[in-house]
Amino acid sequence: MTSTAITVRFIGTDGAVQEVQGMPGDRLLDLAQANGQPLEGTCEGQMACSTCHVIIAPDDFALLPKAREDEEDMLDLAMGATRTSRLACQICLDAAWSSLTVRIPGEARNMQGR
């Protein structure tokens, strides 16, 4: 039994769209970094920072599991957070999704020097 790939659309700060394929269970932060998106993920998914803050398209946001309180606390520190903001380190692609649209906030910073 093979899983079906999920199309993830990254919308950059300049409006450019990059579509990549991910598999169920893939962590959004890892997928973003592997495809050159400017998400730092300083704490490596430990929810000790907000450097992987992304904005999920409203229609897709409804598909995601609700953010835990500790994620909400980190999002309070994220620059430019919106109602559909999430931390990419806390989103794993779900086999029930065919696609996910993610916007990189204008305040995104990547201190890794890419």
Side-chain angles (χ1 to χ4, degrees):
M1 175 189 222
T2 58
S3 296
T4 303
I6 299 158
T7 300
V8 178
R9 283 179 213 85
F10 290 105
I11 303 172
T13 57
D14 61 356
V17 176
Q18 178 188 27
E19 285 193 358
V20 300
Q21 299 296 309
M23 297 304 292
D26 286 351
R27 190 169 68 155
L28 184 60
L29 175 60
D30 297 333
L31 191 62
Q33 289 177 332
N35 287 282
Q37 294 299 316
L39 296 180
E40 185 175 350
T42 301
C43 72
E44 298 179 358
Q46 301 302 308
M47 272 196 297
C49 72
S50 60
T51 60
C52 67
H53 165 230
V54 293
I55 300 169
I56 306 298
D59 290 345
D60 293 339
F61 186 79
L63 301 173
L64 301 178
K66 184 169 171 39
R68 296 186 342 230
E69 186 176 342
D70 46 355
E71 181 181 356
E72 292 285 352
D73 290 345
M74 283 294 104
L75 285 168
D76 287 342
L77 303 174
M79 293 174 51
T82 71
R83 185 183 61 76
T84 62
S85 288
R86 291 296 299 267
L87 298 179
C89 69
Q90 297 303 302
I91 298 173
C92 288
L93 302 185
D94 189 298
W97 308 340
S98 60
S99 65
L100 183 69
T101 300
V102 179
R103 185 165 57 87
I104 306 300
E107 296 81 8
R109 292 174 307 187
N110 184 352
M111 306 295 267
Q112 294 178 333
R114 287 186 204 210

